[in-house]
Amino acid sequence: MHFSPIFILDFGLMAMLLVVAFAVVRIRSLFAIVMLQGVYSLLSAAWFVSLDAVDVAFTEAAVGAGISTVLMLGAMLLTDRQAKPIPVHQKMGPFLVVVVAGLAMFYAIGDMPAYGDALSPANAYIGAEYIEATKREIFIPNVVTAVLASYRGYDTFGETVVIFMAGLGVLLLLGLNGNAGKWRAKPNGHNIGEGAPTPARNPVENEPKPVAKSTKAKRTAKKTVGVKS
Amino acid sequence: MSPHLVLRVVAKMLIPLIALFAFYVQFHGDFGPGGGFQAGVILAAGIILYALVFGIDAAKKAVPPSWIRIGMSFGVLLYGGTGVATWMLGGNFLDYTQFAPESTHAAGQHWGIFAVELGVFCTVTCAMLAIFYAFGSRTPELSDEDW
Amino acid sequence: MSIEVLQMFISAALIVSGVFFVLAGSIGIIRLPDFYTRMHAAGMTDTLGAELVILGLMVQSGFTQTSLKLLLIAFFLFLTSPTASHAVANAAHQAGLKPLLGHFRAPNPGEAVVEEEEEH
Amino acid sequence: MDIVSIFPAWVLTHGPALLVVLPLMMAVLTALAPNKNIAGVNIPWVMTGGTVVVCAILAFSVLMQVLSHGPINYAMGGWEPPIGIAYYIDALNAPILLLITLVAVLCTLYALPSVSAEVEPKKRAPFYAAFLVSFAGLLGMVTTGDAFNVFVFLEVSSISTYVLVAMGASRDRRALTAAYNYLIMGSIGATFLVIGIGFLYMQTGTLNMIDIARILQESGPDSRVVKLAFAFIVVGLGLKLAMFPLHTWLPGAYAYAPSFMTAFLAATATKAALYLLLRFTFTIFDPSWGFVGKSLMYLLAGMGILGMMVASLQAIFQNDLRRVLAFSSVAQVGYMLLGIGMATTLGVTAGYLHMINHAIMKGALFLAVGAFWYRFGITQVSDMRGLGKTMPLTMAAFTIAGLSLIGVPGTVGFVSKLALARAAAENGWWWAIGVIVVTSILAIVYIGRLIEQAYFHEPPNQGGGTLAKNEAPLIMLIPLWILAISALVFGINAEWTTSLARTAADVLSGGPIVNMPYIAGGH
């Protein structure tokens, strides 16, 4: 095993990813977690560059480190600044799943092709053909774009629909003006159910307080505490 | 005087450049890294920066929420419409060669890729803004002391 | 001395000094006592250190497209890093975070400097 | 063949792609449609209804074509597989396409009153759009012959389903937690699936299912990467199809989703995932390989049996009407897994048949429950008192479907349980027959409880007198009764459904794709 700069870079980045991932799991301040996730994204973007996956790195940097950090911060402002502690017994299940999945992957390492092996099936079969065929059939220098938009354009269509659906889902559930969730469904006849709210009761009455107001109050409360301490 | 004078000045300088970069990434995607996804995110980031610095109401004046649903749908329609157009021309779904079957340099492919990337761009920009507006609007406003 | 060697030396000098500032800034972030002073160190890392490294790289690549791109990066860093430092420090100030003041009072101008330790 | 020649040639060639693209495009247009009624016509509903009807016709043409001319290949973008994405439809997935589209037609019919009672007026257009996206996603999952495309459409259908489940929040706020739970579990499942597909790609270098199968046949089962891929894919799909210990998302999602969505989900979503499980285990992997055969027998059949027992018991102790049926769904998935786990032609036939039949009866049950809510706001079992008098037609359809769930002779439930028992006997799994009998008795308990409440109790007093008779509107009764009657028709004359299931199982055993060896009999 030779310690080329690329090798050291790869391992250094992976080690940093690991450290950041542990920090994200351990820390309970949501603000710090959001920031660390941005750090994680930037690190993985750097790692993708070292793997020569520039397009992926670009996406990761733009989406992971850029916009999702802002969106997470926006979401965090509406909730709280601290995560609630989770009792250990609730953590055991996910922990076991992670350990088992990780061990399974370790089990398979022996039969995986070597890192960067040009003759591995993933690189030699369709991968190589894409590179050849793009030159021959599409005439654009960026093979990634050719695969994404033409050879596997149908997948990208599906992904576009996923993004559309994400936006539509937000529109449906939250609304763009922050006033969703007040409307109540009513049965069309007599309501004799226990679970459903009766039509006689005023639905606004037992609404929780408007979210924005309560978080605001909480925030100012936190702030004064922060200054005093 | 606003405590954010510096931020405002710098943001005013940067936002047009961010938008320009988004379009560069969009239209240069055939040659360098990039494409509709990245470009859409970058443009949305520019608008979000505007919202953060100048307030979400100003951003809503610049990019009204009513555009968002239309923009999102338009993107998917453009993508799917490209496929429908290839159907009309007698090919399979998304078979871009139908646009210019005689071309030796795959002009049809270029047109098809251009159209679908534009569709992705529209959808991504508007979806990102939709999410941001939805979360951003739930606080009364992003007032100064919050940032 | 040929132009290449000169180029090399200038770029090396720039990069080394940039790295020095980055190192100093990093140590500063760890060692300095409070938020504002750390901010100072961090701002230096971002702005001066990074700018000098980029300048060095520009000198190394000569008049090429890469150099132009580096110039753009330098320009954006020059704009954004100080702004970011300013925004963070300003936010801390707005939120009411007081800077940590030392045990020594600044002497009035004209008076002799008397080193007088205050009681804790 | 006569029926095939009705359709124009273009539809026959491009129908499979149109089947998925049409609802997607219409979803987008529906999202832009006005929410208000124009000239008394509910525009989003008409658009949705038209789309699903056209899709049902297309699915029918696809099925007829597959049955008469053999499998359909369709290369997206004109790129032949393996370089491009291909659709591959044979007798295994064509019936599921028809099933999904027909259920969607019935559910959409039912949705007109149901959605106007349950969804905020200004959100109806995007709601229908989300439904169409979910529908298209399921169709895409089933039609595609490309392993990664499966994941893409799984995401398309899942994300829209999470949103639709959360839309139940206007009825019960717990819908939000249920949707969140579903989101987390579903995302974990999708992650497992995509990791598994990634490992398959690592081993074979291709994503086309047929190509993967060919390469795996050449290289053999010895690679650990293949085993790992299999494990990840089974776990991922297991989460999606609510295999027993991974079913925790299902009761909540079914209990709090809007009524018509619950019926649609229960009748289609797990079926599509089950189809994928069949496709992956039997076509891409090979049941004659030791690890595949063993996990079919021990894991799938074992978990199926456990699920049948435990979920049936849990169903007995539920107070929420839809939770009873949801736990029963988990149990019924167990029946299907038991059939598939036998890995014999008879077993797979029985599992497949039960999949179709379960869609019919569970669809009817959930539609009826939705009608109960629509008229009386009923969600709890104890509120069902006297429904036999107040909603006689709805309750009759509910009873037919309930009896079918128990497995009373003359209903579809009996047909598939009998087929399953036969397959078990042929396999020598006598204990499995015992389990089937026991769970059927448990089904008598939990369904009997509901029917007893409805018929042997007086309607509650409401405002002085007893509750007046108030039948569900006709447009809700029609789809309900179509399902209930088909539960009887296919129960008495099961030839058509059985032959469909049989052809599907033959596809797996005969293997027109590549000559897949297929284990027959027990091992």
Side-chain angles (χ1 to χ4, degrees), chain A residues 111 125 130 152 154-155 188, chain D residues 83 87 146 149 211 374:
Chain A
D111 286 348
Y125 182 33
Y130 278 136
R152 298 192 69 87
Y154 192 62
D155 271 349
N188 205 294
Chain D
I83 201 162
Y87 269 9
D146 186 281
N149 203 239
D211 214 29
Y374 181 75

Side-chain angles (χ1 to χ4, degrees), chain A residues 171 173-183, chain B residues 134 137-138, chain D residues 120 122-123:
Chain A
L171 286 183
L173 295 177
L174 297 178
L176 289 188
N177 297 315
N179 53 3
K182 302 277 188 291
W183 194 85
Chain B
S137 306
R138 282 180 89 89
Chain D
E120 191 176 348
K122 67 174 185 183
K123 286 183 177 169

Side-chain angles (χ1 to χ4, degrees), chain C residues 3-4 9 14 17 20 40-41 45 52 55 60 66 75 79 86 99:
Chain C
I3 191 86
E4 278 83 24
F9 269 106
L14 283 168
S17 51
F20 169 75
H40 166 69
T45 315
L52 281 173
L55 268 180
Q60 198 153 61
T66 321
F75 171 69
L79 270 183
H86 163 80

Side-chain angles (χ1 to χ4, degrees), chain C:
Chain C
M1 204 199 285
S2 70
I3 191 86
E4 278 83 24
V5 179
L6 190 68
Q7 215 176 0
M8 184 88 147
F9 269 106
I10 295 175
S11 101
L14 283 168
I15 292 177
V16 166
S17 51
V19 167
F20 169 75
F21 279 110
V22 172
L23 186 68
S26 311
I27 294 173
I29 290 176
I30 301 169
R31 292 285 298 155
L32 289 174
D34 84 324
F35 177 80
Y36 292 100
T37 44
R38 282 181 192 169
M39 220 36 248
H40 166 69
M44 195 171 65
T45 315
D46 261 8
T47 317
L48 194 55
E51 288 286 341
L52 281 173
V53 170
I54 289 171
L55 268 180
L57 293 174
M58 270 170 70
V59 171
Q60 198 153 61
S61 60
F63 287 101
T64 54
Q65 203 194 2
T66 321
S67 192
L68 189 70
K69 284 181 184 170
L70 284 170
L71 184 69
L72 277 175
I73 294 175
F75 171 69
F76 285 121
L77 264 185
F78 189 70
L79 270 183
T80 50
S81 298
T83 315
S85 308
H86 163 80
V88 173
N90 192 28
H93 179 68
Q94 296 276 325
L97 185 68
K98 294 272 181 296
L100 182 71
L101 299 175
H103 303 308
F104 302 102
R105 296 226 176 270
N108 289 329
E111 279 179 26
V113 178
V114 185
E115 292 213 350
E116 202 176 335
E117 193 150 336
E118 282 181 15
E119 286 147 43
H120 289 290

Side-chain angles (χ1 to χ4, degrees), chain B residues 25-52:
Chain B
V25 170
Q26 169 74 29
F27 297 118
H28 203 252
D30 297 358
F31 304 98
F37 278 105
Q38 293 94 329
V41 169
I42 291 170
L43 185 62
I47 299 169
I48 289 175
L49 177 64
Y50 185 76
L52 291 180

